[in-house]
Amino acid sequence: MRYWLMKSEPDEASIDHLAQAPQQTLPWTGVRNYQARNFMRDTMKIGDGVLFYHSSCPAPGIAGLAEVASTAYPDPTQFDPQSPYFDPKATQQTPRWQLVDVVFKQKITLIPLATLREHPALAHMQVLAKGNRLSITPVTATEWRFITGQLVSPA
DNA sequence: GCCAACGTTGGC
DNA sequence: GCCAACGTTGGC
């Protein structure tokens, strides 16, 4: 059982979109970074905890809780010429990009990025590291317990 | 819109 | 394999 922080631009896929999706589940499309892909492909397991983070928006921060809901499978958008995530170098036989499904657990009162930075217990969170741009980062069990125990309140 | 930081590409 | 140039991320 591991824990993750997954960034999403709320314009594209917010915690509300996830809550309203069929089965409250969405495929995590569009990851085009090898490190993030490898986390999904090699390390994620069904049931892993997910901090759902809103990025590139007026109020960045953790907006909800979710769970990994599938093992990895090829991201269909890589094959779709109409998709912004189309990858001409990917083929059905040799896909490049993988994704997992994510299922909604809970919407919470936004924990702003600035609040995360305030807490010494979270000083080493990978997502807070200077220059971090990874859209999927591991969260330690200690960080998870601190956040869900001390910072989470229902929306 | 700015810009720091990072990942990827491609020439050599 | 090196590394400069370029594109992207993401907070502010």
Side-chain angles (χ1 to χ4, degrees):
Chain A
M1 172 74 167
R2 297 175 192 267
Y3 305 96
W4 306 94
L5 182 142
M6 299 176 80
K7 294 182 191 170
S8 182
E9 301 189 14
D11 285 352
E12 283 210 31
S14 70
I15 189 71
D16 292 324
H17 291 129
L18 185 63
Q20 288 156 20
Q23 279 83 54
Q24 299 190 309
T25 299
L26 288 174
W28 206 261
T29 55
V31 169
R32 294 295 180 267
N33 169 283
Y34 290 105
Q35 227 182 317
R37 179 203 66 182
N38 294 348
F39 282 141
M40 291 196 286
R41 188 188 62 188
D42 303 333
T43 319
M44 278 188 178
K45 297 275 192 298
I46 293 173
D48 281 2
V50 172
L51 303 171
F52 193 111
Y53 182 94
H54 286 176
S55 70
S56 294
C57 61
I62 299 170
L65 305 179
E67 239 175 50
V68 175
S70 78
T71 53
Y73 61 96
D75 180 343
T77 63
Q78 71 192 304
F79 308 124
D80 176 5
Q82 305 310 313
S83 167
Y85 301 120
F86 177 63
D87 183 344
K89 294 188 180 152
T91 66
Q92 299 277 353
Q93 287 69 35
T94 54
R96 268 196 182 188
W97 305 110
Q98 304 265 123
L99 56 68
V100 298
D101 293 339
V102 170
V103 61
F104 176 82
K105 285 282 146 189
Q106 186 186 354
K107 184 176 179 179
I108 65 172
T109 303
L110 186 84
I111 307 170
L113 176 59
T115 300
L116 297 174
R117 292 196 188 284
E118 279 171 12
H119 293 284
L122 303 178
H124 300 296
M125 269 191 93
Q126 197 170 326
V127 71
L128 303 181
K130 180 177 171 151
N132 169 74
R133 292 189 334 186
L134 256 190
S135 63
I136 300 176
T137 49
V139 173
T140 68
T142 308
E143 290 160 352
W144 177 271
R145 276 196 301 270
F146 183 82
I147 291 169
T148 56
Q150 312 289 317
L151 303 183
V152 162
S153 60

